[in-house]
Amino acid sequence: MAIEITDFEEIKLSSEKHYFDEIINASSLALQGDKILISEYHNVPEEYPRMHIINSSNWTYNKSKGRYGKGPLEIVDPQIIVSKDRDNFLVYDFNNRKISTFSFHDTTLLASSDRKIVDPKMGPVRLVLASKGNYLGVPKESENKILEFDPEGKLIGTYGEFETLEENPELTKLQISLLNGGRFHGNQQNGIYVRASVYRDLLEIFDYRTKRFFSVIGPESKLPEFEYHQSAFGGMMSFALDEPTKYQAIAVSERYIFVLYSGYSHLDYVNSGLSAKEVRIFDLKGNPKWRLTLDRSISELAINEQTNEIYGLTTDEDPGIAVFQIPEELL
């Protein structure tokens, strides 16, 4: 499906911001129940916790989690896996080759349990929960768009193969996977999962129940300028510092797909702190609905369907959590 910017209805949103001294250099934001989970960038000093829990009900700091290390129950670079569990949350740590369970209730930094991953196919992937405790993941480099793993991390399914590009027919499927690389998220309840490209106006919507893909292209259809590099660690795509980025984050609600859209380059971010000031909303089939233009730049996205709020990590001089009210038109 090809779309145009005029297919969206524009709505302007303003926000309030909450700041917490305990957060050093936040890299990601997730919402589980009424708890906001924040993870830190890998370059934060080792003596600081890797994660933080915030109470969204009253905007108080709850506690820290995640002691840095490569030993049992420790963690290096956390990727939070959202679930419906009220007592625990899951974290995937590729560096330690494990999935860890953390309790919301105890005060220790350590995980309550670890599950080591032995399947080498479970590499640097973005993981989300599917049914029956399985995981769906998007690898950095693969001929398949989505991989499925059982609870122990063993590969049990592959979905979708990358199509060749008319503009660059010489590119292999592995190279196209790198070119299309970006964000991945979904909703375990309705079975809708979304791949969003960082450097292309491209969404790939996967219906886990039917195993069908829907692609949404545009408004910009031209491929970015890139260079492909091969090394002993696999391939990589490099892009110019002034190349505008596209999709930055995804959240899938019961009825809609929310995607944070940038249009700013890495140089814009370095020079002015601008990352993204627009949320594009699609229905679950990929039809464009609304463009939410934001009063401040954010880098991450989460949707609270109980309070009808949008949360984002701000990218200003004193980063915090921005809160936007979801417009009535969407409710």
Side-chain angles (χ1 to χ4, degrees):
M1 178 193 305
I3 64 171
E4 300 293 339
I5 198 67
T6 52
D7 294 332
F8 297 91
E9 177 186 344
E10 183 177 358
I11 302 175
K12 296 182 179 180
L13 292 187
S14 58
S15 63
E16 62 177 9
K17 175 182 160 183
H18 300 277
Y19 175 81
F20 300 91
D21 290 325
E22 295 87 348
I23 300 173
I24 308 300
N25 188 16
S27 64
S28 69
L29 171 149
L31 178 69
Q32 186 165 317
D34 64 349
K35 299 292 190 292
I36 294 177
L37 305 171
I38 304 289
S39 62
E40 297 276 13
Y41 272 109
H42 61 86
N43 58 359
V44 167
E46 297 178 4
E47 62 268 24
Y48 289 98
R50 301 292 99 182
M51 297 172 291
H52 309 275
I53 302 175
I54 306 297
N55 300 314
S56 68
S57 57
N58 56 12
W59 294 104
T60 58
Y61 187 86
N62 186 295
K63 58 176 67 75
S64 301
K65 285 287 178 179
R67 187 171 76 187
Y68 181 91
K70 298 184 179 180
L73 308 181
E74 296 177 329
I75 200 158
V76 174
D77 191 7
Q79 178 205 321
I80 296 164
I81 304 172
V82 174
S83 75
K84 295 294 183 180
D85 195 331
R86 293 180 177 273
D87 299 315
N88 306 286
F89 65 96
L90 299 172
V91 172
Y92 175 55
D93 183 3
F94 166 71
N95 292 275
N96 279 336
R97 304 290 294 149
K98 65 184 180 181
I99 295 174
S100 300
T101 300
F102 288 84
S103 171
F104 281 119
H105 305 303
D106 63 35
T107 57
T108 177
L109 293 179
L110 297 173
S112 55
S113 65
D114 287 332
R115 280 178 287 169
K116 278 290 186 180
I117 303 300
V118 296
D119 193 327
K121 297 182 181 65
M122 178 77 97
V125 300
R126 295 178 181 271
L127 291 182
V128 296
L129 276 175
S131 62
K132 301 177 182 178
N134 292 342
Y135 302 98
L136 294 181
V138 170
K140 174 187 174 186
E141 187 177 12
S142 172
E143 292 189 354
N144 296 105
K145 295 179 180 180
I146 293 176
L147 308 181
E148 185 171 10
F149 301 89
D150 69 12
E152 302 305 317
K154 180 181 178 182
L155 181 66
I156 59 173
T158 60
Y159 306 109
E161 287 193 9
F162 287 97
E163 303 84 4
T164 56
L165 300 175
E166 293 183 4
E167 307 95 312
N168 295 75
E170 75 283 0
L171 290 178
T172 68
K173 291 181 180 180
L174 290 180
Q175 292 170 334
I176 294 170
S177 74
L178 294 168
L179 181 63
N180 290 359
R183 315 305 184 199
F184 180 57
H185 215 279
N187 187 308
Q188 189 180 9
Q189 301 306 115
N190 59 26
I192 299 297
Y193 297 85
V194 182
R195 289 176 49 105
S197 176
V198 169
Y199 281 99
R200 295 185 64 190
D201 272 9
L202 173 65
L203 294 179
E204 294 175 288
I205 302 167
F206 177 62
D207 189 329
Y208 180 73
R209 297 172 181 175
T210 64
K211 306 300 188 286
R212 293 182 60 195
F213 281 89
F214 305 89
S215 294
V216 180
I217 302 174
E220 177 63 60
S221 60
K222 181 182 177 182
L223 294 179
E225 297 291 332
F226 63 88
E227 291 184 1
Y228 173 73
H229 305 278
Q230 182 66 40
S231 73
F233 303 100
M236 67 167 290
M237 291 290 182
S238 64
F239 302 89
L241 295 178
D242 60 353
E243 182 72 45
T245 58
K246 307 300 183 178
Y247 294 109
Q248 296 295 308
I250 310 165
V252 182
S253 71
E254 180 183 356
R255 298 171 57 196
Y256 299 113
I257 298 167
F258 294 73
V259 194
L260 184 63
Y261 189 85
S262 175
Y264 297 109
S265 69
H266 179 72
L267 283 181
D268 292 325
Y269 178 74
V270 172
N271 293 330
S272 61
L274 290 173
S275 178
K277 297 182 68 176
E278 180 179 328
V279 176
R280 295 184 178 177
I281 301 174
F282 303 80
D283 67 18
L284 300 183
K285 295 293 185 181
N287 297 299
K289 305 295 289 184
W290 298 277
R291 290 174 59 228
L292 308 181
T293 54
L294 312 180
D295 66 338
R296 68 173 83 235
S297 171
I298 61 175
S299 63
E300 290 289 328
L301 188 68
I303 306 299
N304 190 330
E305 295 187 75
Q306 303 305 313
T307 61
N308 296 320
E309 293 172 326
I310 299 172
Y311 305 141
L313 286 177
T314 70
T315 61
D316 49 15
E317 291 184 1
D318 297 307
I321 301 173
V323 182
F324 304 86
Q325 287 294 322
I326 295 177
E328 292 184 1
E329 292 92 324
L330 281 68
L331 303 179

Short mmCIF file of all heavy atoms in Angstrom, two decimals, residues 10 77-78 87 112 150 161 188 212 225-226 238 248 275 278 317:
data_model
loop_
_atom_site.label_atom_id
_atom_site.label_comp_id
_atom_site.label_asym_id
_atom_site.label_seq_id
_atom_site.Cartn_x
_atom_site.Cartn_y
_atom_site.Cartn_z
N GLU A 10 -4.35 15.89 10.58
CA GLU A 10 -3.36 16.42 11.52
C GLU A 10 -4.01 16.92 12.80
O GLU A 10 -5.03 17.61 12.77
CB GLU A 10 -2.55 17.54 10.89
CG GLU A 10 -1.45 18.08 11.80
CD GLU A 10 -0.61 19.15 11.14
OE1 GLU A 10 -0.85 19.46 9.95
OE2 GLU A 10 0.28 19.71 11.82
N ASP A 77 23.38 -5.09 28.84
CA ASP A 77 22.65 -4.18 27.95
C ASP A 77 21.21 -4.66 27.84
O ASP A 77 20.88 -5.49 27.01
CB ASP A 77 23.32 -4.17 26.57
CG ASP A 77 22.80 -3.06 25.68
OD1 ASP A 77 22.03 -2.22 26.16
OD2 ASP A 77 23.16 -3.05 24.49
N PRO A 78 20.30 -4.16 28.69
CA PRO A 78 18.95 -4.71 28.76
C PRO A 78 18.02 -4.26 27.63
O PRO A 78 18.00 -3.10 27.26
CB PRO A 78 18.43 -4.18 30.11
CG PRO A 78 19.18 -2.90 30.30
CD PRO A 78 20.54 -3.11 29.69
N ASP A 87 3.60 -8.96 38.35
CA ASP A 87 4.61 -9.17 39.38
C ASP A 87 6.04 -9.11 38.86
O ASP A 87 6.96 -8.79 39.62
CB ASP A 87 4.39 -10.53 40.05
CG ASP A 87 3.03 -10.62 40.73
OD1 ASP A 87 2.65 -9.65 41.42
OD2 ASP A 87 2.35 -11.65 40.55
N SER A 112 15.66 -12.16 39.44
CA SER A 112 15.23 -13.29 40.28
C SER A 112 15.55 -14.62 39.62
O SER A 112 15.67 -15.64 40.31
CB SER A 112 13.73 -13.19 40.57
OG SER A 112 12.99 -13.09 39.37
N ASP A 150 11.06 -20.53 20.81
CA ASP A 150 10.31 -21.06 21.94
C ASP A 150 10.81 -20.41 23.23
O ASP A 150 11.75 -19.61 23.20
CB ASP A 150 10.38 -22.59 21.99
CG ASP A 150 11.77 -23.12 22.36
OD1 ASP A 150 12.64 -22.35 22.80
OD2 ASP A 150 11.99 -24.34 22.19
N GLU A 161 10.01 -13.49 3.52
CA GLU A 161 11.34 -13.30 2.93
C GLU A 161 11.39 -11.93 2.27
O GLU A 161 10.39 -11.45 1.74
CB GLU A 161 11.64 -14.38 1.91
CG GLU A 161 11.93 -15.73 2.51
CD GLU A 161 12.53 -16.69 1.50
OE1 GLU A 161 12.87 -16.25 0.38
OE2 GLU A 161 12.66 -17.89 1.83
N GLN A 188 0.55 -8.61 21.98
CA GLN A 188 0.34 -10.03 22.19
C GLN A 188 -1.14 -10.38 22.16
O GLN A 188 -1.51 -11.50 21.77
CB GLN A 188 0.95 -10.44 23.53
CG GLN A 188 0.99 -11.93 23.78
CD GLN A 188 1.60 -12.27 25.13
OE1 GLN A 188 1.84 -11.39 25.95
NE2 GLN A 188 1.86 -13.54 25.35
N ARG A 212 0.19 -13.38 7.79
CA ARG A 212 0.24 -12.53 6.60
C ARG A 212 0.93 -11.20 6.91
O ARG A 212 0.85 -10.69 8.03
CB ARG A 212 -1.17 -12.25 6.08
CG ARG A 212 -1.91 -13.45 5.53
CD ARG A 212 -3.26 -13.03 4.99
NE ARG A 212 -3.14 -12.04 3.92
CZ ARG A 212 -4.16 -11.30 3.47
NH1 ARG A 212 -5.36 -11.42 4.03
NH2 ARG A 212 -3.97 -10.43 2.50
N GLU A 225 20.57 7.20 0.30
CA GLU A 225 21.95 6.92 -0.12
C GLU A 225 22.62 6.07 0.96
O GLU A 225 22.49 6.36 2.16
CB GLU A 225 22.72 8.22 -0.32
CG GLU A 225 22.17 9.11 -1.43
CD GLU A 225 22.39 8.51 -2.81
OE1 GLU A 225 23.37 7.74 -2.97
OE2 GLU A 225 21.56 8.79 -3.71
N PHE A 226 23.33 5.02 0.55
CA PHE A 226 23.94 4.13 1.53
C PHE A 226 25.19 3.49 0.95
O PHE A 226 25.42 3.50 -0.27
CB PHE A 226 22.95 3.03 1.95
CG PHE A 226 22.54 2.12 0.81
CD1 PHE A 226 23.28 0.99 0.49
CD2 PHE A 226 21.41 2.40 0.05
CE1 PHE A 226 22.91 0.16 -0.55
CE2 PHE A 226 21.03 1.58 -1.00
CZ PHE A 226 21.78 0.46 -1.30
N SER A 238 25.97 1.82 6.00
CA SER A 238 26.30 3.14 6.54
C SER A 238 25.54 4.20 5.75
O SER A 238 25.36 4.08 4.54
CB SER A 238 27.81 3.39 6.49
OG SER A 238 28.28 3.44 5.16
N GLN A 248 11.11 5.87 14.34
CA GLN A 248 11.96 5.80 15.52
C GLN A 248 11.44 4.86 16.60
O GLN A 248 12.22 4.34 17.39
CB GLN A 248 12.13 7.20 16.12
CG GLN A 248 12.83 8.18 15.20
CD GLN A 248 14.27 7.77 14.94
OE1 GLN A 248 15.02 7.53 15.87
NE2 GLN A 248 14.65 7.67 13.68
N SER A 275 14.91 14.80 17.60
CA SER A 275 14.84 13.41 17.20
C SER A 275 13.55 13.13 16.43
O SER A 275 13.59 12.66 15.30
CB SER A 275 14.93 12.49 18.42
OG SER A 275 14.81 11.14 18.05
N GLU A 278 6.61 13.90 15.72
CA GLU A 278 5.39 13.51 15.01
C GLU A 278 5.08 12.04 15.28
O GLU A 278 5.97 11.19 15.22
CB GLU A 278 5.56 13.74 13.51
CG GLU A 278 4.36 13.36 12.68
CD GLU A 278 4.58 13.64 11.19
OE1 GLU A 278 5.32 14.60 10.87
OE2 GLU A 278 4.04 12.89 10.36
N GLU A 317 17.76 19.32 26.89
CA GLU A 317 18.97 19.36 27.72
C GLU A 317 18.82 18.58 29.02
O GLU A 317 19.80 18.05 29.54
CB GLU A 317 19.34 20.82 28.01
CG GLU A 317 19.82 21.59 26.80
CD GLU A 317 20.27 22.99 27.15
OE1 GLU A 317 20.21 23.34 28.36
OE2 GLU A 317 20.67 23.72 26.24
#
